[in-house]
Amino acid sequence: MKKTIALIALTGLLFVSCKKEATPETTSPEIPKTANGYSLPTSENIDLQKKCNAAWEAGNVDGYKSFYAEDAVFHDNNKQTTLAENVAFNTEFLKSGIKPTIKYDVIWEEVNYKANEKGVKNYVLAYCTNTWTKGDKSVQVVTFQVDAIKDGKIVEEWNVYDSAAFDVFK
């Protein structure tokens, strides 16, 4: 009888030890019915936003424009502009001698399960500390930037920041 119990115990132990453990690679989490999507800490779209901002920092206007759809819409502190208007504003800004430097504090991508009415599912969100320098004057401005990306182009952009900080350059 002791041998039978020992054999059952040993068989059970072997069964448990040979059972494949579920890992993140082999299982997917239960998605709540209220979930809209998921977040990514790195992605091609994050790289796209960084390259776009780097082109602007470098004063490469044509490079900057190449990251946007022709009909891109901008919301700069809730002021809506077109790509042409945005590029004209940024060109004048750079011509005035103000040099931007962008440091990413936090950046991530949100991927929605359903596209919006414009067909957009991907949004890159970033909190940045922008340093603006002109001559011996400098100011730091925290900016929240959101880019809606579709087919490898930015189709809509929102930027929120304290524009009063630029008074230092007047």
Side-chain angles (χ1 to χ4, degrees):
M1 180 72 169
K2 286 183 183 180
K3 286 184 182 181
T4 305
I5 292 173
L7 185 57
I8 291 171
L10 183 58
T11 305
L13 184 60
L14 285 173
F15 177 75
V16 170
S17 66
C18 291
K19 182 180 172 188
K20 185 174 179 180
E21 282 294 315
T23 65
E25 295 83 31
T26 61
T27 62
S28 57
E30 181 76 23
I31 299 171
K33 292 186 185 338
T34 57
N36 294 321
Y38 55 93
S39 301
L40 297 172
T42 59
S43 71
E44 288 181 21
N45 288 332
I46 291 171
D47 293 342
L48 179 131
Q49 186 192 75
K50 286 181 175 182
K51 288 174 186 174
C52 177
N53 285 340
W56 184 58
E57 281 180 295
N60 179 354
V61 176
D62 289 333
Y64 173 76
K65 283 176 31 178
S66 72
F67 292 97
Y68 293 94
E70 286 293 318
D71 59 349
V73 177
F74 296 80
H75 308 276
D76 199 19
N77 277 343
N78 284 330
K79 180 184 177 196
Q80 187 169 318
T81 59
T82 65
L83 177 60
E85 292 167 330
N86 178 271
V87 168
F89 172 80
N90 284 333
T91 300
E92 288 304 312
F93 197 78
L94 294 170
K95 281 183 182 177
S96 75
I98 298 174
K99 168 108 176 78
T101 305
I102 301 169
K103 177 186 154 285
Y104 292 91
D105 300 313
V106 181
I107 187 167
W108 72 99
E109 180 175 359
E110 289 293 322
V111 181
N112 292 333
Y113 291 124
K114 288 184 178 180
N116 71 6
E117 66 280 352
K118 296 178 182 179
V120 178
K121 292 172 51 174
N122 303 75
Y123 296 85
V124 174
L125 301 91
Y127 284 99
C128 308
T129 301
N130 297 344
T131 303
W132 307 92
T133 306
K134 181 177 182 180
D136 62 345
K137 295 180 182 178
S138 183
V139 64
Q140 286 190 331
V141 180
V142 175
T143 301
F144 182 56
Q145 179 178 346
V146 178
D147 286 338
I149 300 173
K150 180 180 174 192
D151 299 327
K153 296 285 186 177
I154 301 169
V155 296
E156 196 161 5
E157 181 172 283
W158 297 263
N159 285 294
V160 180
Y161 55 90
D162 179 9
S163 59
F166 296 111
D167 290 346
V168 72
F169 299 119
K170 290 182 180 179

